[in-house]
Amino acid sequence: MFRPVLKDLKAIWVLDSRSNPTLEVFAYVQRKGNIYIDSFIVPSGASTGEFEALELRDNEKDFHGKGVSKAIKNVSFILDHLFNTYVDDIFEVDRKLIELDGSKNKSNLGANAILGVSVAIAKAVAKSYDIPFFKYLSFWTKSYDYYLPVPMMNIINGGVHADNDLDFQEFMIVPLGFDNFSNAIKASSEVYNTLKKILKENGLSTSVGDEGGFAPKIDSPFKACEFIITAIEKTGYKAGKDFFISLDVAASSFFKNNKYIYSKNPVDYKELMNIYEKLILNYPIFSIEDPFDENDWDSWKEFTNKYKSKILIVGDDLFVTNIERIEKGINNNIANAVLIKLNQIGTLSETIKAISLANANGYKTIISHRSGETEDNTISHIAVNNSYFIKSGAPARSERNSKYNELLRIYNFYNLNYYSQAYKTISIIQN
Ligand code: 2PG
Ligand code: MG
């Protein structure tokens, strides 16, 4: 029998970058008499969207309620149902997982348990065929174009990821003007360390936030952009040519009683939109993620109408990697890019469907880490296969660099091209 069969699943807890426990699931697959083992560690968000699939936590004394022993038990329950079955069709495996759970948001077994199993099995199967995961994914994505994705690197942290007064969550550099991935990473690392120096010179802290970016005690997005531009230019690169800036506002996190709390004052969506306009006019902004609350579709629509030909407008909390919500966005001309997070939806195949749906409708996709991360680098492979952008935090801290380092390995061993088409996305800005 040449088809891979599931022989075992083991789940354990390991620690993530915020010292919270999370699930690592190991899948044991048998093919041609040999056993192949691979694993996946599930990440965890802090600025979670209201419509995300449910991450099952114990809510008991251990780990401040964040234990995952229930999710671990649920992996055994899944094994009882999948043991000795063929696992070479990810859509079929995931269909069974969704059916076993039986809820709309994976709240019975937990999206962490389900995703751990879904990805670990797919990785073990890829191993059994002796092909790298990014190539194995082609069976399901039908995409055989492999590119090194353009990284969006969060070098100033704010919002719920940092202990400062920045309302916006992420200020990222995007190295678009480089001929290959390795040079893009080298330059980004240089800019990161220049920024560190500049912050120090200005008497600001160089301690970092959850995603490895600096978390200086500043309170204005303009100041953050100003520091970044200075860092780019001082390193010897050109802002608006070599590097662009991307923002993740994560606006749901400061939306209270129908107002956005900006600089400690409640403002309406129009005022927030004016701030974005000023930022777009003054800095080389490549994308803005979650500019408005996840339920504020009208503001999203107005913003999209105005800026869709100038920048990428990225839905994260808005879309939560959910096909129905992405469809709603497409049908209503809302946003033009989708942030993709595996654990927002909870299975590999649904993630792939979300990417395919977005791509087919001209929406760019950005494969994303979570703020609570580990050394797992699976998302790098997903980005190489079917997406052109990856967001994995600063080029610092091992849980962030594990993704960039895996891409460097893929670059060096497979000699893939950097996603030069990204220029086309920004050509509108430059004109
Ligand atoms: C985001 C992510 C990752 P979190 O909002 O895009 O940067 O944060 O994982 O906390 O949702
Ligand atoms: Mg986000």
Side-chain angles (χ1 to χ4, degrees):
M1 255 317 173
F2 292 168
R3 295 182 65 191
V5 167
L6 186 70
K7 285 295 173 187
D8 203 359
L9 288 171
K10 275 196 182 33
I12 62 170
W13 65 260
V14 294
L15 292 179
D16 75 10
S17 53
R18 280 192 283 245
S19 200
N20 291 323
T22 188
L23 232 55
E24 179 165 23
V25 178
F26 294 81
Y28 295 63
V29 157
Q30 187 172 44
R31 185 166 173 268
K32 289 189 182 174
N34 296 318
I35 295 282
Y36 300 89
I37 308 166
D38 215 330
S39 73
F40 178 65
I41 312 179
V42 183
S44 175
S47 65
T48 46
E50 183 185 333
F51 302 99
E52 289 193 20
L54 183 115
E55 176 185 77
L56 189 62
R57 297 281 182 186
D58 296 344
N59 294 320
E60 281 161 14
K61 199 177 116 276
D62 292 351
F63 286 120
H64 300 274
K66 290 191 180 283
V68 287
S69 59
K70 288 179 187 157
I72 288 176
K73 266 204 201 107
N74 290 344
V75 173
S76 304
F77 169 81
I78 292 171
L79 177 66
D80 292 343
H81 289 82
L82 295 191
F83 178 70
N84 254 346
T85 60
Y86 292 123
V87 282
D88 49 357
D89 181 336
I90 65 163
F91 291 103
E92 185 53 21
V93 169
D94 291 350
R95 192 194 56 72
K96 286 181 188 163
L97 292 173
I98 292 164
E99 196 179 288
L100 275 178
D101 173 76
S103 72
K104 185 125 181 62
N105 63 348
K106 306 197 172 59
S107 52
N108 288 330
L109 297 176
N112 39 355
I114 293 173
L115 181 67
V117 171
S118 169
V119 180
I121 288 180
K123 286 174 73 179
V125 169
K127 224 179 207 179
S128 79
Y129 293 130
D130 195 25
I131 36 181
F133 196 53
F134 71 87
K135 287 197 179 170
Y136 171 70
L137 287 170
S138 291
F139 289 121
W140 315 109
T141 61
K142 304 290 169 225
S143 160
Y144 295 86
D145 273 350
Y146 307 124
Y147 283 104
L148 269 326
V150 175
M152 294 178 162
M153 300 180 144
N154 180 6
I155 61 171
I156 294 187
N157 292 191
V160 298
H161 294 166
D163 195 15
N164 57 15
D165 292 327
L166 278 172
D167 300 311
F168 297 0
Q169 184 176 282
E170 301 171 24
F171 296 82
M172 296 170 270
I173 46 169
V174 191
L176 283 168
F178 295 86
D179 55 350
N180 68 49
F181 184 77
S182 167
N183 286 340
I185 296 291
K186 170 182 165 280
S188 303
S189 148
E190 290 168 349
V191 169
Y192 178 82
N193 279 313
T194 308
L195 177 62
K196 185 173 186 172
K197 243 195 224 153
I198 295 172
L199 292 174
K200 228 180 198 161
E201 281 161 15
N202 281 271
L204 289 161
S205 158
T206 55
S207 61
V208 299
D210 284 1
E211 300 191 346
F214 303 109
K217 291 250 182 288
I218 53 176
D219 59 4
S220 143
F222 294 90
K223 191 93 201 143
C225 288
E226 212 52 62
F227 274 128
I228 289 177
I229 298 290
T230 311
I232 292 168
E233 307 266 317
K234 268 206 165 160
T235 317
Y237 298 107
K238 286 222 159 6
K241 181 171 173 288
D242 300 318
F243 281 98
F244 288 76
I245 294 179
S246 282
L247 307 173
D248 180 3
V249 175
S252 299
S253 65
F254 57 87
F255 189 62
K256 310 262 142 62
N257 305 321
N258 267 328
K259 294 273 184 204
Y260 294 94
I261 313 298
Y262 177 78
S263 272
K264 302 197 167 58
N265 294 312
V267 303
D268 67 13
Y269 82 97
K270 279 250 184 249
E271 289 171 80
L272 197 56
M273 193 121 86
N274 285 340
I275 294 161
Y276 300 145
E277 178 151 82
K278 266 194 212 140
L279 286 165
I280 292 167
L281 283 174
N282 285 293
Y283 303 104
I285 301 289
F286 178 67
S287 66
I288 301 186
E289 179 181 328
D290 284 347
F292 300 101
D293 180 69
E294 60 215 356
N295 290 306
D296 191 2
W297 293 88
D298 292 343
S299 303
W300 273 90
K301 195 171 168 79
E302 204 174 313
F303 187 67
T304 307
N305 276 341
K306 220 165 159 190
Y307 293 106
K308 65 169 181 271
S309 61
K310 291 197 170 63
I311 61 167
L312 287 189
I313 301 160
V314 187
D316 169 17
D317 292 345
L318 181 77
F319 291 141
V320 288
T321 319
N322 179 308
I323 288 165
E324 285 163 28
R325 291 185 69 88
I326 297 169
E327 247 160 16
K328 181 172 172 184
I330 292 167
N331 293 337
N332 291 286
N333 280 318
I334 285 169
N336 59 9
V338 183
L339 202 80
I340 299 288
K341 292 167 168 167
L342 290 153
N343 76 327
Q344 276 182 331
I345 189 66
T347 61
L348 178 61
S349 64
E350 288 170 287
T351 306
I352 287 173
K353 281 186 198 157
I355 298 170
S356 303
L357 174 70
N359 284 346
N361 287 279
Y363 278 52
K364 296 275 179 260
T365 51
I366 301 154
I367 308 298
S368 173
H369 67 159
R370 298 306 307 245
S371 48
E373 266 294 340
T374 68
E375 65 273 28
D376 193 285
N377 58 29
T378 308
I379 59 166
S380 306
H381 289 254
I382 297 174
V384 165
N385 183 277
N386 205 16
S387 191
Y388 304 115
F389 298 93
I390 187 165
K391 177 171 110 151
S392 178
R397 307 276 142 181
S398 287
E399 81 279 7
R400 310 296 147 192
N401 278 341
S402 69
K403 298 8 171 217
Y404 301 131
N405 287 347
E406 180 70 351
L407 290 166
L408 284 168
R409 280 176 213 113
I410 294 174
Y411 166 75
N412 281 286
F413 288 95
Y414 295 92
N415 215 1
L416 302 182
N417 286 329
Y418 192 42
Y419 179 58
S420 55
Q421 301 291 316
Y423 286 105
K424 288 194 182 151
T425 319
I426 55 145
S427 61
I428 312 150
I429 305 176
Q430 291 170 322
N431 291 336

